[in-house]
Amino acid sequence: METEPKVDRRKFMEIGIYTITGTIAATSSVALARFAIGNSFEKQKAKWIEFEFDENPDEGFSRVVLEYTKKDGWLTADARSLVYIKRTSEDTFVAISATCSHLGCIVTWDEDEKQFKCPCHNGVYDLEGKVVSGPPPAPLRRHKTRIEDGTLLVSTATIAYGEDFNERV
């Protein structure tokens, strides 16, 4: 004859306490993880910065500082990045990030040699931002530009050289 497992009152209370405690711990863990992570996985929207521009499209690159407020998780801070802007035609501009793709140093534009040069490890880029020599693993990144009501707008977001701006920004 089989005997049924007997659950007495003490065992029933023990199982109930463990179940309630586990449920509270799991719920608290999810809430705490959401609080700690915050909105850090949400894609940040690009900001557009206004600039005045010269009427002469034949001039070289202009060195411009983008200043904007950046939100990173729970932290909101002022951000700055250096960009080289060149007018290529009546209504077209090229904006190239001054951040070297090797270690993040700031590149400088050499007007005589028509090259961007990184002073840290002798990285050299051509006037489109493509690597000519040195250790940089990739071309300089680009900023999207547009003209609205006669004002040049430069996006704070960057993309890799050759990517379609419409896909990323």
Side-chain angles (χ1 to χ4, degrees):
M1 180 162 112
E2 287 185 32
T3 60
E4 294 183 23
K6 189 173 182 181
V7 177
D8 60 357
R9 194 165 73 187
R10 181 179 300 259
K11 188 67 172 173
F12 178 77
M13 293 300 284
E14 186 179 318
I15 291 170
I17 289 173
Y18 286 143
T19 303
I20 292 170
T21 305
T23 304
I24 291 171
T27 305
S28 298
S29 297
V30 169
L32 184 61
R34 176 66 181 126
F35 176 77
I37 293 171
N39 57 0
S40 59
F41 290 113
E42 292 177 12
K43 186 172 180 167
Q44 298 294 318
K45 293 193 178 205
K47 296 184 178 168
W48 292 89
I49 312 290
E50 294 182 7
F51 289 102
E52 298 296 322
F53 56 90
D54 296 329
E55 296 299 322
N56 186 2
D58 295 328
E59 290 186 18
F61 282 94
S62 298
R63 190 174 166 146
V64 174
V65 177
L66 297 180
E67 295 181 353
Y68 55 97
T69 303
K70 182 178 180 181
K71 186 171 182 178
D72 185 14
W74 297 103
L75 178 66
T76 301
D78 293 332
R80 294 170 46 157
S81 59
L82 187 63
V83 177
Y84 288 98
I85 299 175
K86 178 179 172 53
R87 186 177 202 156
T88 57
S89 70
E90 178 78 23
D91 58 348
T92 308
F93 289 84
V94 172
I96 298 176
S97 173
T99 304
C100 180
S101 63
H102 178 228
L103 292 176
C105 301
I106 300 298
V107 299
T108 56
W109 170 247
D110 186 338
E111 184 63 39
D112 296 333
E113 295 184 31
K114 305 285 188 224
Q115 293 178 327
F116 292 100
K117 294 184 176 181
C118 179
C120 299
H121 299 101
N122 296 324
V124 179
Y125 302 88
D126 66 9
L127 61 100
E128 291 184 348
K130 294 186 222 168
V131 179
V132 173
S133 67
L140 295 172
R141 296 183 67 82
R142 299 281 184 107
H143 291 264
K144 187 173 183 179
T145 61
R146 69 180 186 211
I147 297 177
E148 280 185 7
D149 300 326
T151 303
L152 171 64
L153 299 172
V154 179
S155 173
T156 57
T158 62
I159 66 164
Y161 176 82
E163 286 186 23
D164 183 13
F165 280 111
N166 296 325
E167 293 176 8
R168 296 285 307 274
V169 179

